[in-house]
Amino acid sequence: MAKQPRSLSGKVVVVTGGGRGIGAAMARALAERGARVAIGDLDIETAEATARELGGDALARRLDVTDRPGFTAFLDDVERELGPLDVLINNAGIMPLAPAEEESDATVIRQLELNLHAVIHGSKEAMRRLKPRRTGHIVNVASVAGKSGFPGGATYCAVKHGVVGFSEAIRGELKPFGVEVTVVMPSLVATELASGIADSPFIKRVSPEDVAGATVAALERPRFEVFVPRSTGVIGQVMATLPYGAREWVGRALKGDRLLIDAAGRAGRAAYEARASRSTPAAEHQVAEEAADREPAAA
């Protein structure tokens, strides 16, 4: 007999990058189930508009997840206002595209800080808060790129592989304490992040609401891996049984090796790429230091 789904009513849930796209869809789905939602987003105006839409005691705060002390302070503020944290959803992320040798060091640093280091820091903060209470759930949003390599998104694939591996490791650490971990791996999602990317001939583009629904389902009935759509998980399992050369051949035959690299540099991605480059204010000093180190010494 199947277990009853866990109730999310009254649960304090934090969604990073919750002002728009997948994060906003998650916030709506959670609020519909009675959760007390806190949105953290760099774009505070968008975050506040989403919180007003949710109504109730939903709140929005400006959050740069690459500012680690600021991230900790944000969680402290949420707990003071809404109560002890029950669920943290590390959703904030960017996907700049370029051939690997053309990708700037600044873009690499931004992805390492935002897509990976912030997930690690947020998860550690959640662990510190949830373990003593022996309850709670951490959700890390990765990507199908966390299971495969796609030309044109080498660093993005690297950080998403990191999110998957990190999530699996902390799951083992937290299991004895009753704290759940889920890693969400969407394919192409109809958001600004995927602008300029052609539809895949073998995997349909999903909506933010599809990802939100699958995530909420994993909170209600906990499971570790969540693929959206589910068919990508099945495809991955089948591909894993093939020799590597055969997997490459199938990828090329299905044009999966062209999806990201063909979109790199397209005019349709310009607005998104510009916004992504402004998404890590606290990490910009690292970008500046790297640039200074590469400058030739004055004669």
Side-chain angles (χ1 to χ4, degrees):
M1 191 171 172
K3 290 183 180 178
Q4 286 294 314
R6 296 182 177 185
S7 173
L8 297 176
S9 181
K11 299 296 185 184
V12 175
V13 185
V14 165
V15 184
T16 71
R20 56 162 56 86
I22 293 172
M26 288 179 172
R28 293 186 194 100
L30 289 159
E32 288 170 0
R33 285 159 177 77
R36 310 181 74 192
V37 181
I39 295 169
D41 202 293
L42 195 60
D43 183 349
I44 185 58
E45 291 182 359
T46 300
E48 288 176 339
T50 301
R52 285 194 298 272
E53 177 190 336
L54 301 183
D57 55 7
L59 61 85
R61 296 289 182 271
R62 185 183 185 278
L63 173 63
D64 172 9
V65 293
T66 68
D67 173 5
R68 288 182 288 282
F71 197 166
T72 299
F74 162 77
L75 293 174
D76 289 340
D77 288 344
V78 168
E79 292 197 309
R80 276 193 292 270
E81 294 192 46
L82 298 183
L85 179 71
D86 293 298
V87 180
L88 172 64
I89 302 179
N90 284 307
N91 166 73
I94 55 174
M95 188 175 72
L97 299 179
E101 77 278 9
E102 297 176 15
E103 194 173 36
S104 69
D105 286 348
T107 299
V108 172
I109 292 168
R110 289 177 184 125
Q111 290 187 78
L112 288 169
E113 288 300 305
L114 176 53
N115 292 358
L116 182 57
H117 200 171
V119 171
I120 292 172
H121 178 74
S123 297
K124 288 166 68 175
E125 279 294 325
M127 292 167 75
R128 182 172 66 80
R129 297 158 199 268
L130 300 176
K131 278 176 65 176
R133 294 165 47 216
R134 305 185 76 85
T135 186
H137 207 133
I138 298 169
V139 177
N140 293 329
V141 179
S143 165
V144 292
K147 291 285 192 176
S148 301
F150 294 91
T155 299
Y156 182 76
C157 292
V159 293
K160 292 303 185 179
H161 273 72
V163 171
V164 172
F166 176 77
S167 300
E168 187 168 359
I170 63 169
R171 179 175 185 256
E173 294 183 18
L174 291 172
K175 203 166 186 62
F177 297 91
V179 178
E180 301 285 350
V181 177
T182 292
V183 60
V184 180
M185 291 168 281
S187 62
L188 287 179
V189 185
T191 66
E192 188 187 16
L193 182 143
S195 58
I197 301 175
D199 285 327
S200 165
F202 60 98
I203 298 174
K204 112 178 153 146
R205 190 175 299 234
V206 298
S207 70
E209 290 71 27
D210 291 331
V211 182
T215 302
V216 168
L219 290 172
E220 293 175 329
R221 287 188 169 90
R223 68 181 189 275
F224 177 61
E225 291 187 325
V226 175
F227 291 92
V228 189
R230 285 190 177 185
S231 59
T232 56
V234 176
I235 291 169
Q237 289 177 339
V238 172
M239 293 283 278
T241 66
L242 301 176
Y244 191 78
R247 295 205 300 271
E248 284 189 314
W249 183 89
V250 172
R252 289 194 300 270
L254 297 174
K255 301 190 187 318
D257 62 325
R258 303 303 309 176
L259 284 177
L260 301 189
I261 200 160
D262 284 351
R266 279 185 179 167
R269 285 190 63 79
Y272 171 75
E273 295 276 351
R275 186 168 68 81
S277 71
R278 300 189 298 269
S279 60
T280 57
E284 289 305 303
H285 69 282
Q286 296 183 43
V287 172
E289 287 174 359
E290 287 285 337
D293 288 343
R294 290 194 305 276
E295 288 181 2

